[in-house]
Structure formats: C-alpha cells, structure tokens
Amino acid sequence: MSTTGAAADPLAALGSLPTVAESVESVRKAVDRVYGHRIMRRRSNEITSEAALRGARGSGALSGADWALEEVRRRTDFSGDDEARTMGAALRLTAEAGQLLSIWRQSPLRVLARLHLVAAASDSDEVGRPRQEGEPVDEPLVELELSSAAEVSGRLDGLSELIIAGSSAPALVTAAVVHGELLALRPFVSHNGLVARTAARIVLVGSGLDPKSVCPAEVGHAELGRAAYLAALDGYVSGTPEGMAAWIAHCGKAVELGARESVAVCEALQRGAA
C-alpha cells in the first residue's frame, strides 16, 4: 500500500468506504456475540486455547497443510515432512503472538523479524530479515510477481510508519492492510502467509477488538477457501478503492466466521456443563 501523496491517515480513508463500514459493523456484532456468551464469563481461557488451536489449523491449511483438527490436536511431532513442518510453524506462531503485543506498536519490523524466526525455526542467514535481491521465495500458493528487494524495504518502512503513527481507522482495516501488504510483498524467503496472518491477529488483539483472541480469522479464511483468499488478494494488489474494499470485506467475513466458530465452542461447553 503506497502512502505517497495520500491523506494524513490513509487507513482512515479506507475505513470510510461504504462497503468497509458495513463490514466493520458486521464484525463488531459478531465479536460482541462471542464476548457476550455466558460461557465466556467463566471459561474464557478454554475458549482462547481452543481458538488458538483452530486458528493455527486454519492458517496451516492456507499454506498447504490441510489437516483435520483432531490430527493437529493429537500430534506432538511436527518435524517430518513439509506439511508437518508447516503446521508446526503455524502452532509456534500462534503461541508467540501473545508475547509480542506490547512491542508491535513501537517496533512492528522487529516483531515481523521475530515471527519469521519462530516460523522458520532455523539459524540460516536469510531467516529473520527481509529477503535480499535475487533470493528465491518459497511461497507456492501465492503466484504474484515478486517485488524487488528495494521495493520490499521501502514498503515495509512505510507500513511500519503507519503502525507507529497510529490511525483512527477500525482495527479490521488496519489488520487487513497489514495482512494484505505482507502477503503481497512476501518480504521473507519463506512462511510469508503464516507471518502475515499472525501479524493480522496481533493487530486485532492489540487493538482491543478481540483482546482475548477468541475470534480466529484464520478459521474463516480457511473456510472461505484458498481460491477466494487469493482472488480477494488480487483486489488488494490492484490498489483500487473497490479492490481494497473487497479485500477488507473478505477479511471481515473471515473474522465473523472465526467468531461463529468460537460461539459454537461456547455452546458445546455449555451443553457439557448442563
């Protein structure tokens, strides 16, 4: 997302688009339904833990490891094949995200570097820093043309400035822009999708929209499917108001579906307690 010549608060300008405003309101109502459930008052930690597991499963599915939830729940070794390593990375990122909330607003680039280190679980030279010119990117599900290393650096700096400066835009808008920008840029040599979705989760939690992290958007993205995810991303990459609004609305729908998932978990716990 370029900020050259943009309004002082470009994220707020996006939030004022009618389609986006409708999505923001719909997301708020969906989140309120989860937090208003009676089970949340007594067993919120259980809902948070379950949402984390389901969110990691959803994020892993979008990156090519489409495992059944019970398989993720029972497995203890994620060092086998590529799918297992992808799911292990998704689980590690979910656990790490909560530790980085206080750092995000002051140093988002530091957080992104840490997320990549956690996902890659490697001490290779290319891990934990933006890719350099000529370095390949392992992100087979996103086939957009790669930006140059110089453009990646410039746009990451611009994104960081937006986050540090703050915005009056709704949390959904900020999270969607962070998510879309990282997915489009693919700033690291690997695990960009996982990192992008985790960064969006940090925004949603840190903003106060979903402080207990019980509305896993990753669940919704997986439910909507990879084809719809990539088609919406094309809208973001287009840079048009309509395309950006469509991407934000898609991200909003994913949050709503994640919230619905946690309401279902609440209902199941309530039936078990009856």
Side-chain angles (χ1 to χ4, degrees), residues 157-212:
D157 285 344
L159 183 64
S160 176
E161 289 168 8
L162 281 175
I163 299 302
I164 293 170
S167 172
S168 61
L172 172 65
V173 173
T174 304
V177 167
V178 167
H179 186 169
E181 191 74 352
L182 294 175
L183 202 59
L185 284 178
R186 285 151 295 162
F188 302 109
V189 296
S190 64
H191 300 95
N192 290 287
L194 295 174
V195 168
R197 291 184 287 275
T198 305
R201 163 60 34 204
I202 288 172
V203 173
L204 293 173
V205 174
S207 68
L209 176 65
D210 180 19
K212 294 184 182 294

Side-chain angles (χ1 to χ4, degrees), residues 82 86 93 108 184 268:
D82 286 346
T86 294
L93 285 172

Side-chain angles (χ1 to χ4, degrees), residues 3-214:
T3 60
T4 303
D9 190 348
L11 298 182
L14 286 172
S16 68
L17 296 172
T19 303
V20 173
E22 292 172 10
S23 184
V24 167
E25 179 62 16
S26 186
V27 165
R28 186 190 63 77
K29 290 178 180 177
V31 173
D32 285 349
R33 279 194 290 273
V34 181
Y35 280 86
H37 199 286
R38 59 185 296 185
I39 288 294
M40 279 293 294
R41 293 194 291 272
R42 296 183 285 114
R43 303 174 70 175
S44 64
N45 288 342
E46 292 175 67
I47 307 302
T48 296
S49 295
E50 187 65 17
L53 184 70
R54 294 178 185 226
R57 192 218 73 83
S59 193
L62 288 167
S63 286
D66 194 359
W67 290 11
L69 179 63
E70 292 311 313
E71 175 70 5
V72 181
R73 199 188 301 280
R74 74 169 187 83
R75 284 284 286 265
T76 56
D77 181 9
F78 295 93
S79 62
D81 56 20
D82 286 346
E83 286 194 11
R85 287 191 288 273
T86 294
M87 190 57 69
L91 288 164
R92 290 192 300 274
L93 285 172
T94 298
E96 186 74 11
Q99 311 303 313
L100 300 172
L101 291 170
S102 63
I103 306 172
W104 173 255
R105 282 294 301 275
Q106 285 73 43
S107 186
L109 297 185
R110 179 181 163 198
V111 169
L112 294 176
R114 175 61 186 169
L115 291 176
H116 189 241
L117 279 167
V118 169
S122 166
D123 57 2
S124 299
D125 289 344
E126 67 270 18
V127 171
R129 61 156 174 79
R131 56 183 167 84
Q132 297 176 359
E133 202 63 46
E135 288 182 331
V137 174
D138 181 14
E139 200 71 44
L141 298 178
V142 180
E143 298 179 350
L144 299 169
E145 183 177 350
L146 277 175
S147 302
S148 69
E151 183 178 358
V152 167
S153 178
R155 287 175 62 173
L156 282 179
D157 285 344
L159 183 64
S160 176
E161 289 168 8
L162 281 175
I163 299 302
I164 293 170
S167 172
S168 61
L172 172 65
V173 173
T174 304
V177 167
V178 167
H179 186 169
E181 191 74 352
L182 294 175
L183 202 59
L185 284 178
R186 285 151 295 162
F188 302 109
V189 296
S190 64
H191 300 95
N192 290 287
L194 295 174
V195 168
R197 291 184 287 275
T198 305
R201 163 60 34 204
I202 288 172
V203 173
L204 293 173
V205 174
S207 68
L209 176 65
D210 180 19
K212 294 184 182 294
S213 195
V214 294

